[in-house]
């Protein structure tokens, strides 16, 4: 157990509404990541962070923003949710050589 | 960009050995990983190997690395129904903090 929690674990929201997903770690790791997982696409990196207030875009960052005001928390925001953002979202942290993943958030946009 | 390829499915009988294969293109890969994902769960790190190693064994798991062919394999001995899951291969180049993942191999274990 790498001490990563995600909240909420499940969410259903309507198109056009803002949504924020939270990732919390207890390990004090510097690097944190947000991925989405979709059938046929595998894991795709949305954004990542390399320290407090230091973030960068991944390969599918359009429509998403992130914030990291504390080492332990990394927030992913969908400013105006669309049906194409229906997915399972995973947070990860980087250990010395490897990544550890959270349990995921299943988001449905109707 | 760099790529990691895996076959999509593997079906085996309980008690047999399973071998899941992975190929990658980045010649500067330094770390190679195997993750397991059970239904409804996150990815669980199974094992990883440094590029200067040929083999790593951990209980029922054996990882083989052929750096010349850029080929990584995961062998599961005495496969059990609880091993049914999706297995992801990933690689990380030295100096990078973003691994490249394969799309996963779905292992189905028949009783």
């Amino acid at each position: 157990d790498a001490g990563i929690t995600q909240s909420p674990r499940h969410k259903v929201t309507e198109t056009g509404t803002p949504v924020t997903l939270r990732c919390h770690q207890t390990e004090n790791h510097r690097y944190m990541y947000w991925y989405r997982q979709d059938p046929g696409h595998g894991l795709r990196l949305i954004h990542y962070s390399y320290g407090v207030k230091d973030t960068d875009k991944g390969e599918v960052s359009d429509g998403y923003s992130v914030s990291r005001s504390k080492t332990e928390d990394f927030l992913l925001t969908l400013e105006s949710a669309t049906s194409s953002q229906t997915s399972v979202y995973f947070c990860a942290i980087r250990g010395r050589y490897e990544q550890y993943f959270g349990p995921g958030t299943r988001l449905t946009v109707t | 960009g760099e790529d990691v390829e895996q076959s999509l499915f593997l079906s085996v009988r309980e008690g047999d050995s399973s071998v899941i294969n992975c190929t990658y293109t980045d010649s500067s890969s330094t770390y190679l990983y195997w993750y397991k994902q059970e239904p409804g769960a996150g990815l669980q790190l199974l094992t990883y190997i440094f590029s200067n190693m040929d083999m790593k064994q951990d209980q029922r798991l054996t990882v083989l690395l052929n750096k010349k062919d850029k080929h990584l394999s995961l062998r599961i001995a005495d496969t059990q129904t609880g091993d049914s899951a999706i297995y992801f291969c990933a690689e990380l180049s030295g100096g990078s903090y973003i691994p490249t993942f394969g799309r996963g191999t779905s292992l189905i274990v028949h009783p």
Side-chain angles (χ1 to χ4, degrees):
Chain A
D1 184 1
I4 309 169
T5 57
Q6 293 185 232
S7 59
R9 295 293 314 280
H10 302 271
K11 186 169 182 67
V12 179
T13 192
E14 293 184 349
T15 298
T17 58
V19 176
T20 295
L21 308 183
R22 179 181 183 241
C23 177
H24 179 79
Q25 60 148 331
T26 59
E27 306 291 322
N28 202 36
H29 288 290
R30 181 181 169 198
Y31 279 80
M32 298 183 75
Y33 309 77
W34 277 107
Y35 291 89
R36 61 178 289 175
Q37 185 179 33
D38 305 285
H41 291 278
L43 277 175
R44 291 183 290 177
L45 181 66
I46 304 172
H47 281 279
Y48 66 100
S49 170
Y50 47 96
V52 172
K53 293 186 170 44
D54 292 322
T55 65
D56 207 348
K57 296 179 179 180
E59 61 178 299
V60 290
S61 59
D62 287 348
Y64 302 95
S65 62
V66 289
S67 66
R68 191 160 177 211
S69 59
K70 298 185 290 185
T71 299
E72 58 265 35
D73 289 326
F74 192 31
L75 304 181
L76 176 71
T77 297
L78 291 66
E79 302 289 348
S80 177
T82 67
S83 58
S84 65
Q85 294 176 311
T86 292
S87 187
V88 181
Y89 291 86
F90 289 102
C91 174
I93 61 173
R94 176 183 158 94
R96 188 174 180 193
Y97 304 116
E98 68 287 347
Q99 282 185 326
Y100 297 98
F101 284 80
T105 294
R106 183 173 294 277
L107 177 67
T108 303
V109 183
T110 61
Chain B
E2 305 305 338
D3 203 8
V4 176
E5 297 284 343
Q6 303 178 239
S7 54
L8 290 180
F9 298 99
L10 177 65
S11 178
V12 300
R13 289 198 181 277
E14 190 174 18
D16 288 350
S17 291
S18 308
V19 179
I20 303 171
N21 294 299
C22 169
T23 58
Y24 58 96
T25 59
D26 189 352
S27 57
S28 63
S29 293
T30 303
Y31 311 103
L32 296 124
Y33 311 89
W34 284 106
Y35 287 86
K36 175 184 181 183
Q37 185 181 32
E38 298 183 17
L43 277 69
Q44 172 196 354
L45 179 67
L46 282 179
T47 186
Y48 61 92
I49 189 169
F50 296 111
S51 60
N52 60 357
M53 298 167 66
D54 297 325
M55 185 181 87
K56 182 178 181 181
Q57 190 156 1
D58 184 1
Q59 299 183 352
R60 292 190 298 121
L61 305 179
T62 302
V63 177
L64 294 178
L65 175 61
N66 182 327
K67 196 174 178 182
K68 174 177 169 289
D69 294 338
K70 301 190 186 68
H71 182 267
L72 184 73
S73 67
L74 174 69
R75 179 177 179 269
I76 305 173
D78 187 24
T79 311
Q80 303 298 307
T81 54
D83 295 322
S84 292
I86 302 175
Y87 291 80
F88 290 89
C89 170
E91 66 86 22
L92 182 68
S93 303
S96 172
Y97 295 96
I98 302 172
T100 301
F101 285 84
R103 294 194 174 188
T105 298
S106 183
L107 175 64
I108 301 162
V109 183
H110 298 284

